[in-house]
Amino acid sequence: MGLAPVWITGHGTRPCRLAWDFDPEAHHDQVVAWLTRSEARIPGARYNPRTPNTGMLELDGFRTLLIST
């Protein structure tokens, strides 16, 4: 499974965001598990879902938006 970070420029009151572009055949929950629970996880990362296909990945007080489309 390949992941690529995609920066989304902020404007006004919306801050810059980091979105992950991943294999379209990967399910959102698989990506979350890979980032937070697998041997390749990001140590200390926590995931907070917003919808079935979006959520915030948090690490050391910073957040990135994970979106599945």
Side-chain angles (χ1 to χ4, degrees), residues 6-66:
V6 179
W7 284 104
I8 300 172
T9 304
H11 56 83
T13 59
R14 174 176 268 179
C16 293
R17 297 176 292 156
L18 176 64
W20 296 93
D21 186 17
F22 56 91
D23 183 339
E25 293 187 18
H27 296 281
H28 189 81
D29 57 341
Q30 291 174 313
V31 174
V32 170
W34 186 74
L35 291 171
T36 61
R37 297 187 301 269
S38 74
E39 289 186 19
R41 72 185 170 277
I42 301 170
R46 290 173 293 143
Y47 179 74
N48 296 307
R50 287 184 168 179
T51 71
N53 294 317
T54 66
M56 299 302 292
L57 185 65
E58 298 184 18
L59 179 62
D60 293 332
F62 295 94
R63 298 181 301 162
T64 62
L65 181 62
L66 182 63

